Amino acid sequence: MHPPGGAPPHIALPNIKHVVAVASGKGGVGKSTVSTNLALALHMLGRRVGLMDADIYGPSIPHMLGLKVEAATPEPVEKFGLKVMSMGFVLGPGQAAVLRGPMIHKYLTAFLTQVHWGELDYLLIDLPPGTGDAQLSLSQTAPLSGALTVVTPQEVATTVAAAAWRCSAKFACRF
């Protein structure tokens, strides 16, 4: 628990050099595709890369990489040289996550602290769209090195992305 009215403490991840959040204001803009391709590109440059699918309600990284896991595990699944963890590995096939904010925070914190990532140069965190509990939890607890926002050129997408950036500044989120 964190002090009333205070932000939760930052998580120490001494074996991970850079933690980068990949965000979007709205869904369907290609955020998971960008996360996956960026992770693969960094790996091709010789970097040690982890990819954390933090899209609790709609994890798509396992599908994009063709990954299936028989049982929940604290070990990331390795594919194409990437270490991958996803809520899709925790839920059964076709199951939906029905979680409130505190449970989202608990799962994401567990993904950061209980998964055996090993030594990484980069841990990319594919966030769910919007400005909800997952974004607030990670921005206030994870030691983010940076972030990027994926957006398409349509006016509605850019408007929502700009609103997400303003919201992140208002709550001192670092992405």
Side-chain angles (χ1 to χ4, degrees), residues 56-121:
I56 296 291
Y57 300 116
S60 58
I61 299 294
H63 180 72
M64 296 181 93
L65 292 173
L67 293 169
K68 294 183 181 174
V69 174
E70 299 299 321
T73 174
E75 298 297 326
V77 177
E78 294 196 36
K79 182 90 178 239
F80 305 122
L82 306 177
K83 293 183 176 183
V84 182
M85 181 52 72
S86 173
M87 191 67 170
F89 301 156
V90 177
L91 300 171
Q95 298 296 311
V98 181
L99 302 169
R100 294 186 188 270
M103 288 303 296
I104 292 170
H105 177 78
K106 181 178 177 181
Y107 272 107
L108 296 179
T109 301
F111 280 5
L112 286 171
T113 61
Q114 296 175 19
V115 169
H116 303 133
W117 293 105
E119 296 280 334
L120 294 177
D121 295 310

Short mmCIF file of all heavy atoms in Angstrom, two decimals, residues 56-121:
data_model
loop_
_atom_site.label_atom_id
_atom_site.label_comp_id
_atom_site.label_asym_id
_atom_site.label_seq_id
_atom_site.Cartn_x
_atom_site.Cartn_y
_atom_site.Cartn_z
N ILE A 56 -4.55 -5.34 -20.58
CA ILE A 56 -5.23 -6.32 -19.74
C ILE A 56 -6.52 -6.83 -20.36
O ILE A 56 -6.82 -8.02 -20.32
CB ILE A 56 -5.52 -5.70 -18.35
CG1 ILE A 56 -4.21 -5.36 -17.62
CG2 ILE A 56 -6.41 -6.58 -17.52
CD1 ILE A 56 -3.40 -6.54 -17.18
N TYR A 57 -7.29 -5.94 -20.97
CA TYR A 57 -8.61 -6.33 -21.48
C TYR A 57 -8.56 -6.96 -22.86
O TYR A 57 -9.44 -7.71 -23.23
CB TYR A 57 -9.54 -5.12 -21.50
CG TYR A 57 -9.76 -4.53 -20.14
CD1 TYR A 57 -9.33 -3.25 -19.85
CD2 TYR A 57 -10.35 -5.27 -19.13
CE1 TYR A 57 -9.52 -2.70 -18.59
CE2 TYR A 57 -10.54 -4.74 -17.87
CZ TYR A 57 -10.13 -3.46 -17.60
OH TYR A 57 -10.29 -2.92 -16.36
N GLY A 58 -7.53 -6.64 -23.63
CA GLY A 58 -7.45 -7.18 -24.98
C GLY A 58 -6.03 -7.50 -25.38
O GLY A 58 -5.48 -6.87 -26.29
N PRO A 59 -5.40 -8.46 -24.70
CA PRO A 59 -4.01 -8.77 -25.04
C PRO A 59 -3.90 -9.35 -26.45
O PRO A 59 -4.55 -10.34 -26.76
CB PRO A 59 -3.61 -9.79 -23.97
CG PRO A 59 -4.89 -10.39 -23.51
CD PRO A 59 -5.94 -9.34 -23.67
N SER A 60 -3.08 -8.72 -27.29
CA SER A 60 -2.97 -9.19 -28.67
C SER A 60 -1.56 -9.64 -29.04
O SER A 60 -1.37 -10.27 -30.08
CB SER A 60 -3.41 -8.08 -29.64
OG SER A 60 -2.63 -6.92 -29.44
N ILE A 61 -0.58 -9.33 -28.21
CA ILE A 61 0.80 -9.70 -28.52
C ILE A 61 0.97 -11.21 -28.71
O ILE A 61 1.63 -11.64 -29.66
CB ILE A 61 1.78 -9.15 -27.45
CG1 ILE A 61 1.71 -7.63 -27.39
CG2 ILE A 61 3.19 -9.64 -27.69
CD1 ILE A 61 2.18 -6.88 -28.60
N PRO A 62 0.38 -12.08 -27.84
CA PRO A 62 0.54 -13.52 -28.08
C PRO A 62 0.05 -13.94 -29.47
O PRO A 62 0.72 -14.73 -30.15
CB PRO A 62 -0.32 -14.17 -26.98
CG PRO A 62 -0.33 -13.15 -25.89
CD PRO A 62 -0.36 -11.82 -26.61
N HIS A 63 -1.06 -13.39 -29.89
CA HIS A 63 -1.61 -13.73 -31.21
C HIS A 63 -0.67 -13.23 -32.32
O HIS A 63 -0.41 -13.94 -33.29
CB HIS A 63 -3.00 -13.14 -31.38
CG HIS A 63 -3.63 -13.44 -32.69
ND1 HIS A 63 -4.08 -14.71 -33.01
CD2 HIS A 63 -3.84 -12.67 -33.78
CE1 HIS A 63 -4.56 -14.69 -34.24
NE2 HIS A 63 -4.42 -13.47 -34.73
N MET A 64 -0.16 -12.01 -32.15
CA MET A 64 0.71 -11.43 -33.18
C MET A 64 2.00 -12.24 -33.35
O MET A 64 2.55 -12.31 -34.45
CB MET A 64 1.06 -9.99 -32.83
CG MET A 64 -0.14 -9.07 -32.84
SD MET A 64 0.31 -7.40 -32.47
CE MET A 64 0.54 -6.81 -34.13
N LEU A 65 2.48 -12.83 -32.26
CA LEU A 65 3.72 -13.60 -32.31
C LEU A 65 3.48 -15.10 -32.42
O LEU A 65 4.43 -15.89 -32.44
CB LEU A 65 4.57 -13.31 -31.06
CG LEU A 65 5.13 -11.89 -30.97
CD1 LEU A 65 5.80 -11.65 -29.62
CD2 LEU A 65 6.10 -11.62 -32.11
N GLY A 66 2.21 -15.52 -32.49
CA GLY A 66 1.91 -16.94 -32.60
C GLY A 66 2.25 -17.73 -31.35
O GLY A 66 2.68 -18.88 -31.44
N LEU A 67 2.03 -17.12 -30.18
CA LEU A 67 2.38 -17.76 -28.91
C LEU A 67 1.16 -18.36 -28.22
O LEU A 67 0.11 -17.73 -28.16
CB LEU A 67 3.01 -16.73 -27.96
CG LEU A 67 4.37 -16.19 -28.38
CD1 LEU A 67 4.75 -15.01 -27.52
CD2 LEU A 67 5.41 -17.28 -28.27
N LYS A 68 1.35 -19.55 -27.67
CA LYS A 68 0.33 -20.19 -26.85
C LYS A 68 1.02 -20.77 -25.63
O LYS A 68 2.09 -21.36 -25.75
CB LYS A 68 -0.41 -21.27 -27.62
CG LYS A 68 -1.23 -20.72 -28.76
CD LYS A 68 -1.99 -21.78 -29.47
CE LYS A 68 -2.75 -21.09 -30.60
NZ LYS A 68 -3.42 -22.01 -31.45
N VAL A 69 0.41 -20.61 -24.48
CA VAL A 69 0.97 -21.11 -23.24
C VAL A 69 -0.06 -22.03 -22.59
O VAL A 69 -1.24 -21.68 -22.52
CB VAL A 69 1.35 -19.94 -22.30
CG1 VAL A 69 1.79 -20.43 -20.95
CG2 VAL A 69 2.42 -19.08 -22.94
N GLU A 70 0.39 -23.19 -22.12
CA GLU A 70 -0.51 -24.16 -21.51
C GLU A 70 -0.95 -23.78 -20.11
O GLU A 70 -2.07 -24.03 -19.71
CB GLU A 70 0.16 -25.54 -21.49
CG GLU A 70 0.50 -26.08 -22.87
CD GLU A 70 -0.71 -26.27 -23.75
OE1 GLU A 70 -1.76 -26.71 -23.24
OE2 GLU A 70 -0.62 -25.95 -24.95
N ALA A 71 -0.04 -23.18 -19.32
CA ALA A 71 -0.34 -22.81 -17.94
C ALA A 71 0.38 -21.51 -17.59
O ALA A 71 1.43 -21.20 -18.17
CB ALA A 71 0.11 -23.92 -16.97
N ALA A 72 -0.19 -20.76 -16.66
CA ALA A 72 0.43 -19.50 -16.22
C ALA A 72 1.82 -19.77 -15.68
O ALA A 72 2.06 -20.79 -15.03
CB ALA A 72 -0.43 -18.83 -15.17
N THR A 73 2.75 -18.87 -15.98
CA THR A 73 4.13 -19.05 -15.57
C THR A 73 4.78 -17.70 -15.27
O THR A 73 4.44 -16.71 -15.93
CB THR A 73 4.93 -19.77 -16.67
OG1 THR A 73 6.31 -19.80 -16.30
CG2 THR A 73 4.81 -19.06 -18.01
N PRO A 74 5.70 -17.64 -14.30
CA PRO A 74 6.43 -16.40 -14.06
C PRO A 74 7.60 -16.23 -15.04
O PRO A 74 8.29 -15.23 -15.01
CB PRO A 74 6.94 -16.55 -12.62
CG PRO A 74 7.08 -18.02 -12.44
CD PRO A 74 5.98 -18.64 -13.27
N GLU A 75 7.80 -17.22 -15.89
CA GLU A 75 8.86 -17.14 -16.89
C GLU A 75 8.29 -16.52 -18.16
O GLU A 75 7.26 -16.97 -18.65
CB GLU A 75 9.42 -18.53 -17.20
CG GLU A 75 10.05 -19.23 -16.03
CD GLU A 75 11.26 -18.49 -15.49
OE1 GLU A 75 12.00 -17.87 -16.27
OE2 GLU A 75 11.46 -18.54 -14.26
N PRO A 76 8.97 -15.52 -18.71
CA PRO A 76 8.49 -15.00 -19.99
C PRO A 76 8.66 -16.06 -21.08
O PRO A 76 9.56 -16.89 -21.02
CB PRO A 76 9.39 -13.79 -20.24
CG PRO A 76 10.59 -14.00 -19.40
CD PRO A 76 10.18 -14.85 -18.25
N VAL A 77 7.78 -16.03 -22.03
CA VAL A 77 7.86 -16.94 -23.17
C VAL A 77 8.80 -16.30 -24.18
O VAL A 77 8.72 -15.10 -24.43
CB VAL A 77 6.46 -17.16 -23.77
CG1 VAL A 77 6.51 -18.04 -24.99
CG2 VAL A 77 5.53 -17.76 -22.72
N GLU A 78 9.69 -17.08 -24.75
CA GLU A 78 10.64 -16.53 -25.72
C GLU A 78 10.24 -16.91 -27.14
O GLU A 78 9.90 -18.05 -27.42
CB GLU A 78 12.05 -17.02 -25.40
CG GLU A 78 12.54 -16.46 -24.07
CD GLU A 78 14.03 -16.59 -23.87
OE1 GLU A 78 14.79 -16.45 -24.86
OE2 GLU A 78 14.43 -16.82 -22.72
N LYS A 79 10.26 -15.88 -28.00
CA LYS A 79 9.96 -16.09 -29.42
C LYS A 79 10.69 -15.03 -30.22
O LYS A 79 10.68 -13.85 -29.85
CB LYS A 79 8.44 -15.99 -29.64
CG LYS A 79 7.98 -16.24 -31.05
CD LYS A 79 7.67 -17.72 -31.29
CE LYS A 79 7.17 -17.97 -32.69
NZ LYS A 79 5.87 -18.54 -32.78
N PHE A 80 11.35 -15.45 -31.28
CA PHE A 80 12.10 -14.54 -32.15
C PHE A 80 13.14 -13.73 -31.38
O PHE A 80 13.44 -12.59 -31.73
CB PHE A 80 11.17 -13.60 -32.92
CG PHE A 80 10.11 -14.29 -33.72
CD1 PHE A 80 8.78 -14.02 -33.50
CD2 PHE A 80 10.45 -15.23 -34.71
CE1 PHE A 80 7.79 -14.66 -34.24
CE2 PHE A 80 9.47 -15.86 -35.44
CZ PHE A 80 8.14 -15.58 -35.22
N GLY A 81 13.67 -14.29 -30.29
CA GLY A 81 14.67 -13.59 -29.50
C GLY A 81 14.10 -12.61 -28.49
O GLY A 81 14.85 -11.94 -27.79
N LEU A 82 12.78 -12.51 -28.40
CA LEU A 82 12.12 -11.60 -27.45
C LEU A 82 11.64 -12.39 -26.24
O LEU A 82 11.20 -13.53 -26.37
CB LEU A 82 10.90 -10.93 -28.09
CG LEU A 82 11.10 -10.18 -29.39
CD1 LEU A 82 9.76 -9.65 -29.89
CD2 LEU A 82 12.10 -9.05 -29.21
N LYS A 83 11.67 -11.76 -25.08
CA LYS A 83 11.04 -12.32 -23.89
C LYS A 83 9.69 -11.62 -23.75
O LYS A 83 9.62 -10.40 -23.69
CB LYS A 83 11.90 -12.07 -22.65
CG LYS A 83 13.21 -12.83 -22.68
CD LYS A 83 14.00 -12.63 -21.42
CE LYS A 83 15.25 -13.48 -21.44
NZ LYS A 83 16.01 -13.35 -20.18
N VAL A 84 8.62 -12.43 -23.70
CA VAL A 84 7.26 -11.88 -23.77
C VAL A 84 6.43 -12.34 -22.58
O VAL A 84 6.46 -13.51 -22.21
CB VAL A 84 6.57 -12.34 -25.08
CG1 VAL A 84 5.16 -11.74 -25.20
CG2 VAL A 84 7.41 -11.99 -26.30
N MET A 85 5.67 -11.39 -21.99
CA MET A 85 4.70 -11.72 -20.95
C MET A 85 3.41 -10.99 -21.30
O MET A 85 3.43 -9.84 -21.72
CB MET A 85 5.18 -11.31 -19.57
CG MET A 85 4.21 -11.66 -18.44
SD MET A 85 3.63 -13.37 -18.39
CE MET A 85 5.06 -14.24 -17.84
N SER A 86 2.28 -11.67 -21.06
CA SER A 86 0.98 -11.12 -21.43
C SER A 86 -0.12 -11.66 -20.54
O SER A 86 -0.03 -12.79 -20.06
CB SER A 86 0.67 -11.49 -22.89
OG SER A 86 -0.63 -11.12 -23.25
N MET A 87 -1.15 -10.86 -20.35
CA MET A 87 -2.34 -11.33 -19.67
C MET A 87 -2.96 -12.49 -20.46
O MET A 87 -3.63 -13.35 -19.91
CB MET A 87 -3.35 -10.19 -19.52
CG MET A 87 -4.49 -10.50 -18.61
SD MET A 87 -3.88 -10.68 -16.92
CE MET A 87 -5.42 -10.74 -16.06
N GLY A 88 -2.67 -12.53 -21.75
CA GLY A 88 -3.14 -13.63 -22.59
C GLY A 88 -2.56 -14.97 -22.15
O GLY A 88 -3.12 -16.02 -22.47
N PHE A 89 -1.44 -14.96 -21.41
CA PHE A 89 -0.87 -16.19 -20.89
C PHE A 89 -1.53 -16.60 -19.57
O PHE A 89 -1.38 -17.72 -19.12
CB PHE A 89 0.63 -16.06 -20.65
CG PHE A 89 1.43 -15.71 -21.87
CD1 PHE A 89 2.65 -15.08 -21.73
CD2 PHE A 89 0.97 -16.00 -23.15
CE1 PHE A 89 3.41 -14.76 -22.84
CE2 PHE A 89 1.72 -15.67 -24.26
CZ PHE A 89 2.95 -15.05 -24.11
N VAL A 90 -2.20 -15.65 -18.92
CA VAL A 90 -2.83 -15.90 -17.63
C VAL A 90 -4.27 -16.37 -17.83
O VAL A 90 -4.75 -17.27 -17.16
CB VAL A 90 -2.79 -14.64 -16.74
CG1 VAL A 90 -3.51 -14.86 -15.43
CG2 VAL A 90 -1.34 -14.21 -16.49
N LEU A 91 -4.96 -15.75 -18.77
CA LEU A 91 -6.35 -16.11 -19.07
C LEU A 91 -6.39 -17.35 -19.95
O LEU A 91 -5.46 -17.62 -20.69
CB LEU A 91 -7.03 -14.96 -19.82
CG LEU A 91 -7.10 -13.62 -19.12
CD1 LEU A 91 -7.59 -12.57 -20.08
CD2 LEU A 91 -8.00 -13.72 -17.90
N GLY A 92 -7.48 -18.07 -19.87
CA GLY A 92 -7.68 -19.19 -20.78
C GLY A 92 -8.05 -18.66 -22.16
O GLY A 92 -8.42 -17.51 -22.32
N PRO A 93 -7.98 -19.51 -23.18
CA PRO A 93 -8.35 -19.08 -24.54
C PRO A 93 -9.78 -18.55 -24.58
O PRO A 93 -10.70 -19.15 -24.04
CB PRO A 93 -8.23 -20.36 -25.37
CG PRO A 93 -7.35 -21.27 -24.57
CD PRO A 93 -7.57 -20.91 -23.13
N GLY A 94 -9.94 -17.39 -25.19
CA GLY A 94 -11.26 -16.79 -25.33
C GLY A 94 -11.83 -16.19 -24.06
O GLY A 94 -12.99 -15.78 -24.03
N GLN A 95 -11.04 -16.13 -22.99
CA GLN A 95 -11.52 -15.59 -21.71
C GLN A 95 -11.29 -14.08 -21.66
O GLN A 95 -10.30 -13.58 -22.18
CB GLN A 95 -10.79 -16.24 -20.54
CG GLN A 95 -11.01 -17.73 -20.43
CD GLN A 95 -12.46 -18.06 -20.14
OE1 GLN A 95 -13.07 -17.49 -19.26
NE2 GLN A 95 -13.01 -18.97 -20.92
N ALA A 96 -12.20 -13.38 -21.02
CA ALA A 96 -12.07 -11.93 -20.85
C ALA A 96 -11.62 -11.62 -19.42
O ALA A 96 -12.00 -12.31 -18.48
CB ALA A 96 -13.41 -11.26 -21.12
N ALA A 97 -10.83 -10.58 -19.28
CA ALA A 97 -10.42 -10.11 -17.95
C ALA A 97 -11.46 -9.13 -17.45
O ALA A 97 -11.77 -8.16 -18.12
CB ALA A 97 -9.06 -9.43 -18.03
N VAL A 98 -12.04 -9.42 -16.31
CA VAL A 98 -13.00 -8.52 -15.69
C VAL A 98 -12.37 -8.08 -14.37
O VAL A 98 -12.44 -8.78 -13.36
CB VAL A 98 -14.35 -9.24 -15.45
CG1 VAL A 98 -15.35 -8.28 -14.83
CG2 VAL A 98 -14.88 -9.81 -16.75
N LEU A 99 -11.71 -6.93 -14.42
CA LEU A 99 -10.92 -6.48 -13.28
C LEU A 99 -11.17 -5.01 -12.98
O LEU A 99 -11.33 -4.20 -13.88
CB LEU A 99 -9.42 -6.66 -13.57
CG LEU A 99 -8.94 -8.06 -13.91
CD1 LEU A 99 -7.52 -8.01 -14.42
CD2 LEU A 99 -9.05 -8.96 -12.71
N ARG A 100 -11.14 -4.68 -11.69
CA ARG A 100 -11.20 -3.29 -11.25
C ARG A 100 -9.77 -2.77 -11.11
O ARG A 100 -8.80 -3.53 -11.14
CB ARG A 100 -11.94 -3.18 -9.93
CG ARG A 100 -13.41 -3.56 -10.04
CD ARG A 100 -14.10 -3.27 -8.70
NE ARG A 100 -15.45 -3.79 -8.69
CZ ARG A 100 -16.52 -3.10 -9.09
NH1 ARG A 100 -16.37 -1.88 -9.53
NH2 ARG A 100 -17.71 -3.64 -9.04
N GLY A 101 -9.65 -1.47 -10.92
CA GLY A 101 -8.36 -0.80 -10.84
C GLY A 101 -7.32 -1.44 -9.95
O GLY A 101 -6.18 -1.67 -10.38
N PRO A 102 -7.64 -1.76 -8.68
CA PRO A 102 -6.62 -2.36 -7.82
C PRO A 102 -6.07 -3.69 -8.34
O PRO A 102 -4.89 -3.97 -8.18
CB PRO A 102 -7.35 -2.56 -6.48
CG PRO A 102 -8.43 -1.53 -6.50
CD PRO A 102 -8.86 -1.43 -7.94
N MET A 103 -6.91 -4.48 -8.98
CA MET A 103 -6.44 -5.76 -9.52
C MET A 103 -5.59 -5.54 -10.77
O MET A 103 -4.62 -6.27 -11.00
CB MET A 103 -7.61 -6.68 -9.83
CG MET A 103 -8.28 -7.24 -8.59
SD MET A 103 -7.13 -8.14 -7.51
CE MET A 103 -6.66 -9.51 -8.53
N ILE A 104 -5.92 -4.54 -11.56
CA ILE A 104 -5.09 -4.21 -12.72
C ILE A 104 -3.71 -3.81 -12.24
O ILE A 104 -2.70 -4.28 -12.76
CB ILE A 104 -5.74 -3.08 -13.55
CG1 ILE A 104 -7.02 -3.60 -14.21
CG2 ILE A 104 -4.77 -2.54 -14.60
CD1 ILE A 104 -7.87 -2.54 -14.85
N HIS A 105 -3.66 -2.96 -11.22
CA HIS A 105 -2.38 -2.54 -10.64
C HIS A 105 -1.60 -3.76 -10.14
O HIS A 105 -0.39 -3.88 -10.38
CB HIS A 105 -2.62 -1.53 -9.51
CG HIS A 105 -1.37 -1.12 -8.82
ND1 HIS A 105 -0.51 -0.20 -9.37
CD2 HIS A 105 -0.82 -1.51 -7.65
CE1 HIS A 105 0.53 -0.04 -8.55
NE2 HIS A 105 0.36 -0.82 -7.50
N LYS A 106 -2.29 -4.67 -9.48
CA LYS A 106 -1.64 -5.86 -8.93
C LYS A 106 -1.02 -6.72 -10.04
O LYS A 106 0.13 -7.16 -9.93
CB LYS A 106 -2.65 -6.67 -8.13
CG LYS A 106 -2.08 -7.91 -7.49
CD LYS A 106 -3.14 -8.64 -6.68
CE LYS A 106 -2.57 -9.93 -6.11
NZ LYS A 106 -3.56 -10.67 -5.34
N TYR A 107 -1.78 -6.97 -11.11
CA TYR A 107 -1.26 -7.79 -12.21
C TYR A 107 -0.07 -7.11 -12.89
O TYR A 107 0.94 -7.75 -13.17
CB TYR A 107 -2.34 -8.07 -13.26
CG TYR A 107 -3.16 -9.30 -12.95
CD1 TYR A 107 -4.46 -9.19 -12.50
CD2 TYR A 107 -2.62 -10.57 -13.13
CE1 TYR A 107 -5.22 -10.32 -12.21
CE2 TYR A 107 -3.37 -11.70 -12.85
CZ TYR A 107 -4.66 -11.57 -12.40
OH TYR A 107 -5.40 -12.69 -12.13
N LEU A 108 -0.18 -5.82 -13.16
CA LEU A 108 0.90 -5.14 -13.86
C LEU A 108 2.16 -5.06 -13.00
O LEU A 108 3.28 -5.23 -13.50
CB LEU A 108 0.45 -3.75 -14.31
CG LEU A 108 -0.68 -3.76 -15.34
CD1 LEU A 108 -1.08 -2.34 -15.71
CD2 LEU A 108 -0.31 -4.56 -16.57
N THR A 109 1.98 -4.84 -11.71
CA THR A 109 3.13 -4.83 -10.80
C THR A 109 3.77 -6.21 -10.76
O THR A 109 5.00 -6.35 -10.76
CB THR A 109 2.71 -4.37 -9.39
OG1 THR A 109 2.16 -3.05 -9.49
CG2 THR A 109 3.89 -4.35 -8.44
N ALA A 110 2.95 -7.25 -10.75
CA ALA A 110 3.48 -8.62 -10.76
C ALA A 110 4.24 -8.89 -12.05
O ALA A 110 5.30 -9.52 -12.03
CB ALA A 110 2.34 -9.63 -10.58
N PHE A 111 3.72 -8.42 -13.18
CA PHE A 111 4.43 -8.61 -14.45
C PHE A 111 5.80 -7.95 -14.40
O PHE A 111 6.76 -8.46 -14.97
CB PHE A 111 3.62 -8.03 -15.61
CG PHE A 111 2.50 -8.90 -16.10
CD1 PHE A 111 2.17 -10.09 -15.48
CD2 PHE A 111 1.76 -8.51 -17.20
CE1 PHE A 111 1.12 -10.87 -15.94
CE2 PHE A 111 0.72 -9.29 -17.67
CZ PHE A 111 0.40 -10.47 -17.05
N LEU A 112 5.91 -6.82 -13.73
CA LEU A 112 7.19 -6.12 -13.65
C LEU A 112 8.14 -6.77 -12.64
O LEU A 112 9.33 -6.87 -12.88
CB LEU A 112 6.98 -4.66 -13.27
CG LEU A 112 6.42 -3.76 -14.35
CD1 LEU A 112 6.04 -2.40 -13.78
CD2 LEU A 112 7.41 -3.61 -15.50
N THR A 113 7.61 -7.18 -11.49
CA THR A 113 8.47 -7.60 -10.39
C THR A 113 8.60 -9.11 -10.19
O THR A 113 9.56 -9.56 -9.59
CB THR A 113 7.98 -6.99 -9.06
OG1 THR A 113 6.66 -7.45 -8.79
CG2 THR A 113 8.00 -5.47 -9.12
N GLN A 114 7.63 -9.89 -10.65
CA GLN A 114 7.66 -11.33 -10.41
C GLN A 114 8.01 -12.16 -11.64
O GLN A 114 8.31 -13.34 -11.52
CB GLN A 114 6.33 -11.79 -9.82
CG GLN A 114 6.07 -11.17 -8.46
CD GLN A 114 4.70 -11.52 -7.91
OE1 GLN A 114 4.08 -12.49 -8.34
NE2 GLN A 114 4.22 -10.73 -6.97
N VAL A 115 7.95 -11.54 -12.80
CA VAL A 115 8.37 -12.23 -14.02
C VAL A 115 9.89 -12.20 -14.07
O VAL A 115 10.51 -11.18 -13.78
CB VAL A 115 7.77 -11.55 -15.26
CG1 VAL A 115 8.39 -12.08 -16.54
CG2 VAL A 115 6.26 -11.74 -15.28
N HIS A 116 10.50 -13.30 -14.40
CA HIS A 116 11.95 -13.42 -14.45
C HIS A 116 12.46 -12.92 -15.81
O HIS A 116 12.76 -13.72 -16.69
CB HIS A 116 12.38 -14.85 -14.18
CG HIS A 116 11.86 -15.37 -12.88
ND1 HIS A 116 11.26 -16.59 -12.75
CD2 HIS A 116 11.83 -14.81 -11.65
CE1 HIS A 116 10.89 -16.76 -11.50
NE2 HIS A 116 11.22 -15.70 -10.81
N TRP A 117 12.57 -11.60 -15.94
CA TRP A 117 12.97 -11.00 -17.21
C TRP A 117 14.44 -11.24 -17.52
O TRP A 117 14.83 -11.25 -18.68
CB TRP A 117 12.69 -9.49 -17.20
CG TRP A 117 11.24 -9.14 -17.18
CD1 TRP A 117 10.52 -8.67 -16.11
CD2 TRP A 117 10.32 -9.24 -18.27
NE1 TRP A 117 9.21 -8.47 -16.48
CE2 TRP A 117 9.05 -8.80 -17.80
CE3 TRP A 117 10.43 -9.64 -19.59
CZ2 TRP A 117 7.93 -8.76 -18.61
CZ3 TRP A 117 9.30 -9.60 -20.40
CH2 TRP A 117 8.07 -9.17 -19.91
N GLY A 118 15.26 -11.39 -16.49
CA GLY A 118 16.70 -11.50 -16.71
C GLY A 118 17.28 -10.13 -17.06
O GLY A 118 16.67 -9.09 -16.80
N GLU A 119 18.45 -10.14 -17.66
CA GLU A 119 19.11 -8.90 -18.07
C GLU A 119 18.52 -8.43 -19.39
O GLU A 119 18.51 -9.18 -20.37
CB GLU A 119 20.62 -9.13 -18.25
CG GLU A 119 21.34 -9.51 -16.97
CD GLU A 119 21.64 -8.32 -16.08
OE1 GLU A 119 21.76 -7.20 -16.59
OE2 GLU A 119 21.74 -8.54 -14.86
N LEU A 120 18.00 -7.20 -19.40
CA LEU A 120 17.43 -6.63 -20.62
C LEU A 120 18.01 -5.25 -20.89
O LEU A 120 18.26 -4.48 -19.96
CB LEU A 120 15.90 -6.49 -20.51
CG LEU A 120 15.05 -7.74 -20.40
CD1 LEU A 120 13.58 -7.35 -20.24
CD2 LEU A 120 15.24 -8.64 -21.60
N ASP A 121 18.18 -4.94 -22.16
CA ASP A 121 18.51 -3.57 -22.55
C ASP A 121 17.23 -2.74 -22.62
O ASP A 121 17.22 -1.56 -22.25
CB ASP A 121 19.21 -3.56 -23.91
CG ASP A 121 20.56 -4.25 -23.86
OD1 ASP A 121 21.35 -3.93 -22.95
OD2 ASP A 121 20.81 -5.14 -24.70
#
